[in-house]
Amino acid sequence: MLGVLPTRSDQIDYPYSVRFQVREARPGWLKIADASDAYNHGETDEDDRPLPVRTVYSGEGWIPADAAQFAIQSARGFARPDRSSERLLDLGDDWVTDMGRVAAIRACGPGGWVLVDYVVVRESVGGVPRELAADRVRTGTAWFQGVCEAEETTCDMASVDRE
């Protein structure tokens, strides 16, 4: 083990996770670097005391692919990192990570594409998300654009789903 990336479940309840850059993806693993506690900009605990900046390993190393999370601001997943390839998932106006989650990162591609295993556990009914019955949960693997690594908010990027 080269180092440690603290999580939200450490002794102190930090509001955000550690940030890092993904350099490479292999089945089940991500090569990361440049980890930092960049989100800690004066956050305080429940008694209004400042949270200390966490010490993190900032060199390169490998982590399990299912240990990283991010939002995907897109409803459409594709067979290849190409919008003209077969569409494997289309949730209309609902982003995949609003209706479910990223189960694992499989690969990163050019142009901000990412190949993920996803799980869709909600559907939108009249604009209101509702949980799906267990036999209707959808899983799959697809390429997506619209990755937002900021977990505290959306990235307010232009929609990648416009055609």
Side-chain angles (χ1 to χ4, degrees):
M1 177 171 62
L2 295 174
V4 174
L5 298 180
T7 65
R8 291 169 130 183
S9 61
D10 288 337
Q11 291 90 358
I12 299 172
D13 188 21
Y14 285 85
Y16 306 114
S17 302
V18 169
R19 249 187 159 156
F20 52 83
Q21 296 292 317
V22 176
R23 300 281 192 232
E24 185 179 341
R26 292 190 184 164
W29 294 94
L30 297 174
K31 186 176 187 179
I32 65 165
D34 303 326
S36 74
D37 195 18
Y39 282 126
N40 191 349
H41 297 289
E43 282 87 359
T44 58
D45 65 14
E46 64 276 354
D47 296 323
D48 209 29
R49 292 180 301 226
L51 293 174
V53 173
R54 296 171 285 186
T55 302
V56 299
Y57 175 74
S58 61
E60 287 192 344
W62 292 88
I63 64 170
D66 61 359
Q69 290 293 309
F70 53 86
I72 298 175
Q73 294 184 199
S74 175
R76 295 174 181 88
F78 296 87
R80 294 185 318 279
D82 176 352
R83 297 192 70 74
S84 65
S85 70
E86 177 186 2
R87 194 177 291 177
L88 302 177
L89 179 70
D90 190 339
L91 298 174
D93 294 329
D94 298 310
W95 295 337
V96 66
T97 49
D98 284 347
M99 296 295 111
R101 64 182 170 80
V102 172
I105 302 164
R106 292 190 168 263
C108 300
W113 286 93
V114 62
L115 179 65
V116 301
D117 293 338
Y118 61 85
V119 179
V120 176
V121 296
R122 287 178 287 286
E123 67 182 348
S124 183
V125 178
V128 178
R130 84 168 184 206
E131 298 297 313
L132 292 171
D135 64 339
R136 295 194 52 224
V137 168
R138 295 163 49 185
T139 62
T141 301
W143 286 94
F144 291 89
Q145 284 185 305
V147 172
C148 177
E149 73 272 359
E151 69 181 291
E152 77 278 10
T153 183
T154 61
C155 290
D156 295 328
M157 64 180 76
S159 175
V160 296
D161 291 336
R162 295 190 206 270
E163 302 181 42

